Amino acid sequence: GGAGGGGLAAKEDRTADARVVLKIIDRGKALEKPVTLLQLAEQWKGLVRKGPGEYGLPDNTPGPTGSKADCERILVMMLLEGILKQTFNFTAYAVNGYLDRGRNAQSAEHGSFKLMIRPLHLPNETSSAGKRASGGGGGGAAKRPKQSSGGKA
């Protein structure tokens, strides 16, 4: 057990989401339709809009909560945690990266491996007071507006 979280939000258990994603991947393999990260996010998010769709998942399969960006974030975390892995297909014109089951996929399905992710939106970020909220750890030096000083050297 570790001491204090330093003000960070508690992690959420997203293992149930990982199981649904693995079902989509397994179904795609059975249909010989490999999926990229973006295709998988669209298929998964499509469960909310359209139901089981071409992958024929059961009607009671839960869709994700949140935006497509949230889905992509969970998929990336699944890659980092080894639940998913990326395989590459080389053609004369392109290199395509597809997602497949990773080394921790079976453990996640059976509950011995938990996918714990910090929420995308922290509960205490609801206030929009103050425009100088640079303490979010986002590294705000990436893009700075051009300043025209008018001075010629």
Side-chain angles (χ1 to χ4, degrees):
L8 296 174
K11 291 183 176 184
E12 299 173 342
D13 184 356
R14 303 305 290 257
T15 310
D17 288 330
R19 289 185 188 119
V20 171
V21 167
L22 290 170
K23 284 181 189 176
I24 295 170
I25 286 180
D26 290 345
R27 194 67 190 128
K29 284 174 80 172
L31 297 171
E32 296 183 10
K33 290 186 176 184
V35 291
T36 66
L37 187 136
L38 293 177
Q39 290 170 335
L40 184 56
E42 289 170 6
Q43 286 293 331
W44 185 26
K45 191 66 180 160
L47 287 174
V48 175
R49 294 189 312 268
K50 302 182 276 216
E54 66 181 298
Y55 285 87
L57 295 172
D59 286 336
N60 62 348
T61 304
T65 56
S67 68
K68 186 177 171 202
D70 294 333
C71 295
E72 291 170 1
R73 182 172 176 262
I74 292 168
L75 293 174
V76 168
M77 286 303 297
M78 289 175 69
L79 272 168
L80 293 173
E81 294 291 338
I83 297 171
L84 297 177
K85 69 178 181 180
Q86 198 167 21
T87 58
F88 297 95
N89 182 17
F90 302 91
T91 69
Y93 303 104
V95 176
N96 298 312
Y98 296 106
L99 296 180
D100 202 352
R101 298 171 67 87
R103 69 186 181 281
N104 291 325
Q106 191 170 3
S107 299
E109 282 180 323
H110 299 301
S112 59
F113 185 94
K114 300 275 186 210
L115 179 65
M116 303 299 289
I117 301 178
R118 293 196 195 285
L120 189 56
H121 304 289
L122 299 176
N124 60 355
E125 288 184 352
T126 57
S127 171
S128 60
K131 292 184 178 182
R132 296 183 299 131
S134 61
K143 289 186 179 179
R144 288 191 174 141
K146 230 182 202 181
Q147 295 178 354
S148 59
S149 60
K152 295 179 182 174

